[in-house]
Amino acid sequence: MVPPDRIGFGSDGPLADALRARGLDPAPRPAQLAYAGHLAACLDARRPSFIDAETGVGKTLGYLVPVLDRARRAAGPRPIVVISTANVALQRQIIETDLPIVIEAFARITGKQLRAAMRVGKQQVIDPGALDAAVEELGTDSDRLLADDMIDWCEMALVRGELPMRHALLSAFSDRITASHPWLSAELIGLNTEGTDHVTGALFQTLLEECAEADFLVVNHHLLARHLVRPFLWAEDRHAYVVVDEADRLPRIVEDMTRSAV
């Protein structure tokens, strides 16, 4: 039996209700319970924890549930839960699939709606103007049609009020990208301005404001590594619970960062 004021695994608690609402099996797996239990003990002891588990045991909920449960009972200023992943695909899975489950479970207990945001670097955002300039400088005549369709795709995203993301663009045109195009370099077509008169920059600024107010912040390892050198992802006066998913990939990412980038 899960206490009525706690988020926890079981067949009759708020987490189970949130899972059932999505047609998912609420029964926890033994490995998931062991994973969550070990992490909860480390949080209570205020010590770092390195936990390994096989794919498919439910690790994401295994760390989200105990971290949120401890964070919401923390004293002092409103804490932030930071989840760092190795790639944008996993970021999107967490923000779109896993986090809504625990946020709903939290709302069932408290009536409060927590906020989640996904932070990306400017090079992950496509600037349609920069894309146009890059293909004009480095592309061929045969590249022009592909680039124009990509620019249209980006502009339609902006019309919908969405940031045109690099991974989504490359996925949308994967069947037409048959070679390595220098004009698709992230350094050339990524966002390089945040002026309020620039639609892409204005949307990115809105994203930054949402991230500053978020209770859950999903980032990538590269941004986390930069934050450890010079804080910028969350306010220094906020107590942070940091979860590094796919942590074995973080050292290589840090190693690959150039000295000047750091």
Side-chain angles (χ1 to χ4, degrees), residues 21 34-35 104 139 158 161 187 217:
Y35 185 99
E104 180 182 330
L158 294 173
E187 290 76 13
L217 183 61

Side-chain angles (χ1 to χ4, degrees), residues 56-74:
V57 302
K59 293 193 297 282
T60 306
L61 286 181
Y63 63 69
L64 285 177
V65 170
V67 169
L68 174 58
D69 193 56
R70 268 62 179 180
R72 76 184 184 90
R73 292 187 280 121

Side-chain angles (χ1 to χ4, degrees), residues 242-253:
V242 181
V243 178
V244 184
D245 203 336
E246 297 186 319
D248 56 317
R249 299 177 63 177
L250 179 60
R252 176 59 61 87
I253 290 173

Side-chain angles (χ1 to χ4, degrees), residues 162-184:
E162 301 172 0
L163 280 172
M165 301 295 294
R166 179 178 178 82
H167 75 280
L169 175 73
L170 298 181
S171 176
F173 291 90
S174 60
D175 59 331
R176 295 177 59 184
I177 302 175
T178 57
S180 177
H181 300 292
W183 50 271
L184 280 177

